[in-house]
Amino acid sequence: MWSRRAALAVALLAAGCGFTPVYGPGGAGTRLHGQVRVADPQTADDYAFLRRLTERLGPAETGRYDLAYTLRVAVLPQAITPDEVTTRFSLNGTATYRLTDSATGATVAQGEVSNFTSHSTVGTVIATNAAEQDARNRLAVMLADQVVTRLLATVP
């Protein structure tokens, strides 16, 4: 009985504060879907970032908004053996973005997000390269998800 009352109370409080679902009718997710033209990728990291943005926001050849971005990835050694061999690397990534209205050029949203991941270097050169590429793809996906979350929260 209390769980139903609690759920009803939460729903009433959320409705009273102006809460609207992001993917509900008229929500930011609906308004942005298929409306954001993302800048063309220049690197493999950019491509993974663009692919995830397109999955989340939908494809848009021409749209109401243009999204420019810059990705930066720093590779830092994390685990170093007494023989000075690095066995683990951390990838620290930052995505700076700017969403503009394609008709007026006015900035609608801008910001910067950051995240990190890591990979091991134990094994063959091929395994290490594959692990690094996988870590870079994971990082690009995490950064794209953060950008989408920010856009959904800030775009009117």
Side-chain angles (χ1 to χ4, degrees), residues 10-129:
V10 168
L12 289 174
L13 286 172
C17 73
F19 171 78
T20 58
V22 170
Y23 293 107
T30 306
R31 288 191 310 273
L32 286 178
H33 193 271
Q35 297 298 313
V36 180
R37 164 82 170 84
V38 183
D40 293 332
Q42 303 298 317
T43 67
D45 294 337
D46 289 352
Y47 178 76
F49 183 78
L50 169 70
R51 185 178 63 233
R52 182 60 176 176
L53 286 173
T54 303
E55 287 172 4
R56 296 282 311 273
L57 296 173
E61 290 298 319
T62 60
R64 180 176 177 191
Y65 302 106
D66 293 318
L67 181 68
Y69 64 90
T70 303
L71 295 182
R72 292 185 306 278
V73 177
V75 180
L76 305 169
Q78 292 295 304
I80 302 172
T81 66
D83 299 332
E84 296 186 17
V85 175
T86 303
T87 60
R88 189 154 195 83
F89 284 93
S90 175
L91 281 73
N92 298 340
T94 304
T96 305
Y97 65 92
R98 178 184 306 268
L99 185 73
T100 57
D101 185 301
S102 55
T104 65
T107 299
V108 177
Q110 64 182 358
E112 182 176 279
V113 295
S114 62
N115 216 318
F116 71 95
T117 189
S118 62
H119 70 91
S120 177
T121 63
V122 179
T124 65
V125 172
I126 294 171
T128 298
N129 288 343

Side-chain angles (χ1 to χ4, degrees), residues 135-148:
R136 286 180 170 277
N137 286 339
R138 286 192 320 267
L139 182 60
V141 166
M142 288 186 288
L143 293 171
D145 284 343
Q146 286 180 284
V147 168
V148 169

